[in-house]
Amino acid sequence: MQGLEQRPAISPTQLFMLAFGLIVGVGFLIMPRGAMEKAREDAWLTVILAGLCAIASLWLITRVARMFPHDTVFDYNTKLFGSIIGSLLNVAWGLYYLFFTVTGIRVMAEVVREEMLPFTPVEAIIGAMLLVIIYPAWNGLMPIIRMFESGLPFTLLLIVMFFLLAYLHADWAELRIPFQEGVTPIISALPQTIYSYLGFEVLFLYYPFVTHKDKAFASTSFAIAAVGLFYAFLVLGTLVTLGPDVTMSQTFPVVTMAKTIEVVRQFVERAELLLIILWLPLAYTTHLGFFFSSAFSFHRTYPRLKLRWWMVILLPLVFILSLIPDNFIDMQTWSDKVGLVGLFLTIPYPLIMLVCIAVRRRLGHFPPPRKDGDVT
C-alpha cells in the first residue's frame, strides 16, 4: 500500500495548497449572502476581519502543535485529558470531518441538480461524487496533496478571470464609506463568515508530517490570506453587480452574479454553467480532503482497523447521511451546527489545551519548553 505505508512528507508549498484546497469549496457560493445579511455594504470588511481571526486561531493551533512536534492531535488528546476523555475527543474529530463531508456533498449535489442536471436524482449525483472521491484517497495523503498542487492554481486563475468579466458592468455606487453604521454590523456578521474559513485546523492532524515545521504557520497563514483575498473579491463582485438586497435574496448569490456576465453569454447560452464547471474541482478538493481526514481520524483512534477499511465503512455512511435532510434549508441547519463545532475546535479548544499544558508543566508532568525552536 504505497501511499499508506510510507510516511507523508509535506513541504511548505504543499501545506499551502492543502490548506487552501480544504478552505475554498462549497462555502464561497453562499458566503456573500451571510456576510451581507448583517454587514451589508461593509461585508468585505467582515471577510477581511474573519481572515485575521482565522490567522489568530491558527497561531494558537500552531503553538499547541509545536509542543508535540512528532504527535498528532489524537496522540496528545490522551496525554492531556486522559484515555477516556481523549478518546471521546478523537471520535469527535472524526465525526466533525464526517459531517463536514456530508453537508458539503449534499450542497454540491443540490447545486449540480439545480443548475445542470434538474432531472437527475440527487442519489445518483451523490453516489457518483463519492466514487470519484474515494479513488484518489485510496492511496493516502500525498496523492491528494499532489492533486491539489496540479489543479488548484489553474482552476482558481480561471475563476478569477471569469468573475473579472462581471466587474465590467459593476455599479460602483453600491460601495460606500466604511463604518457608516459603526463596527457592530461588521462584528455581528463574523460568526457566519468565519465558517467559510474552516479547514486550516487540519494542521492539528498533519503537523507531524510537515518537513519544515518552522514554516508551518507562515505557509498556512498565506493560504488563509489568499482565501481572504479571493472571498473579498467575490463579496465585492456581488455587491457592485447585484447589490446587497438582491444578494441577500439569492440562495447562491455567486451563481446569480455569473448570470449577469453578458460577454460569456455571447458564446455560451448559460454563463452559470461555465462557473459550475470551474467550481466543481474546488468543491471536490474540499470534500476529498475532509473525507480522508475523517478516515484518518478514526484510524488514529482505532488503529487496529486499517485506513482503507475506514474509508470503505465511511463511504456508504456519508451517502446515507447526505440523503437525510429533506431540502436545502434543512441541510443549511446541519451546516450551521457543523460550523459551530468547527469554531469550538479552532478557538476554545486550543486555548483549553494550552491551559492544560501549563498546569501539567507546573505539576511536573511535562518537561519545560526547549529553546531550540522545536518546542515552544
Side-chain angles (χ1 to χ4, degrees), residues 53 56-58 60-61 64 81 89 93 194 198 200 204 339-356:
C53 293
S57 172
L58 174 68
L60 294 174
I61 292 173
V64 173
F81 305 109
L89 288 171
W93 274 100
I194 291 178
L198 292 176
F200 63 90
F204 265 138
L340 286 174
V341 176
L343 289 182
F344 171 78
L345 292 176
T346 53
I347 301 176
Y349 180 68
L351 285 174
I352 293 172
M353 299 184 88
L354 287 173
V355 171
C356 289

Side-chain angles (χ1 to χ4, degrees), residues 170-200:
D171 180 10
W172 295 101
E174 294 287 353
L175 284 178
R176 66 179 185 180
I177 300 174
F179 305 111
Q180 287 190 357
E181 301 294 331
V183 298
T184 302
I186 297 173
I187 295 175
S188 61
L190 267 179
Q192 189 71 21
T193 308
I194 291 178
Y195 289 171
S196 299
Y197 283 92
L198 292 176
F200 63 90

Side-chain angles (χ1 to χ4, degrees), residues 83-209:
S83 58
I84 297 177
I85 297 178
S87 298
L88 291 175
L89 288 171
N90 292 346
V91 172
W93 274 100
L95 292 175
Y96 165 67
Y97 286 121
L98 173 66
F99 280 95
F100 217 126
T101 307
V102 168
T103 55
I105 284 286
R106 179 59 186 270
V107 172
M108 186 176 175
E110 292 288 347
V111 174
V112 171
R113 184 173 65 169
E114 181 177 335
E115 302 294 340
M116 299 181 68
L117 305 171
F119 302 108
T120 303
V122 69
E123 296 88 349
I125 299 174
I126 293 175
M129 291 176 179
L130 290 177
L131 290 178
V132 176
I133 281 177
I134 197 171
Y135 177 74
W138 196 247
N139 283 322
L141 181 62
M142 294 313 297
I144 296 175
I145 296 178
R146 294 188 186 102
M147 179 177 292
F148 287 13
E149 285 183 292
S150 61
L152 277 180
F154 183 67
T155 302
L156 184 66
L157 177 62
L158 290 178
I159 290 179
V160 171
M161 293 174 61
F162 177 82
F163 281 117
L164 281 175
L165 298 175
Y167 278 81
L168 296 176
H169 301 282
D171 180 10
W172 295 101
E174 294 287 353
L175 284 178
R176 66 179 185 180
I177 300 174
F179 305 111
Q180 287 190 357
E181 301 294 331
V183 298
T184 302
I186 297 173
I187 295 175
S188 61
L190 267 179
Q192 189 71 21
T193 308
I194 291 178
Y195 289 171
S196 299
Y197 283 92
L198 292 176
F200 63 90
E201 69 280 359
V202 295
L203 195 62
F204 265 138
L205 279 65
Y206 305 129
Y207 184 83
F209 311 125

Side-chain angles (χ1 to χ4, degrees), residues 262-315:
E262 296 293 337
V263 177
V264 178
R265 291 170 67 90
Q266 296 178 6
F267 304 95
V268 182
E269 183 178 355
R270 297 177 59 194
E272 64 271 19
L273 290 182
L274 182 58
L275 168 64
I276 299 301
I277 293 172
L278 294 174
W279 162 74
L280 283 175
L282 289 181
Y284 172 75
T285 57
T286 301
H287 308 327
L288 172 60
F290 282 131
F291 175 77
F292 179 83
S293 297
S294 178
F296 181 82
S297 300
F298 285 114
H299 171 64
R300 282 282 177 164
T301 306
Y302 304 104
R304 291 186 179 182
L305 197 61
K306 292 185 177 180
L307 180 60
R308 285 180 172 175
W309 277 111
W310 279 113
M311 294 183 195
V312 172
I313 293 172
L314 294 177
L315 192 70

Side-chain angles (χ1 to χ4, degrees), residues 33-46:
R33 183 189 66 193
M36 288 189 195
E37 282 179 350
K38 296 181 179 179
R40 292 187 64 84
E41 288 84 356
D42 290 340
W44 61 278
L45 292 172
T46 300

